[in-house]
Amino acid sequence: MNEPLRQTAPRPFETPALRIARLQAEAAAAGRNAVTLLLGDIERLEVTATEIASLGEAVPAGIRDRASRLAAALKAEREGMAAINDRRRA
């Protein structure tokens, strides 16, 4: 038995230049989203490192010291990356 032909909605014509612009915009949005996720992950690591650094005698002094330095380094990296990302949006 023959099925009736299905009609699909006509696709609007997209020139190559428009397609490239759309794809570039989608890639930029995906990149911004990835950076936002990374910054959140770094911030969570920073909080964890700060907590470990403040545990006192519960953890060895060498680990507290390294956790404290790691927290400071993570904060600096996160802030630097956020500044670059903010300039990119402007």
Side-chain angles (χ1 to χ4, degrees), residues 10-27:
R11 290 177 74 189
F13 179 73
E14 186 176 41
T15 66
L18 288 175
R19 182 169 183 235
I20 289 169
R22 178 179 55 80
L23 292 172
Q24 287 174 333
E26 288 176 13

Side-chain angles (χ1 to χ4, degrees), residues 2-57:
N2 290 336
E3 290 186 29
L5 292 175
R6 290 187 218 168
Q7 288 189 340
T8 58
R11 290 177 74 189
F13 179 73
E14 186 176 41
T15 66
L18 288 175
R19 182 169 183 235
I20 289 169
R22 178 179 55 80
L23 292 172
Q24 287 174 333
E26 288 176 13
R32 285 189 301 273
N33 185 53
V35 170
T36 299
L37 293 173
L38 176 62
L39 292 173
D41 290 344
I42 291 171
E43 186 173 20
R44 282 186 286 283
L45 287 171
E46 181 187 335
V47 167
T48 301
T50 300
E51 289 173 351
I52 290 170
S54 68
L55 287 176
E57 297 300 317

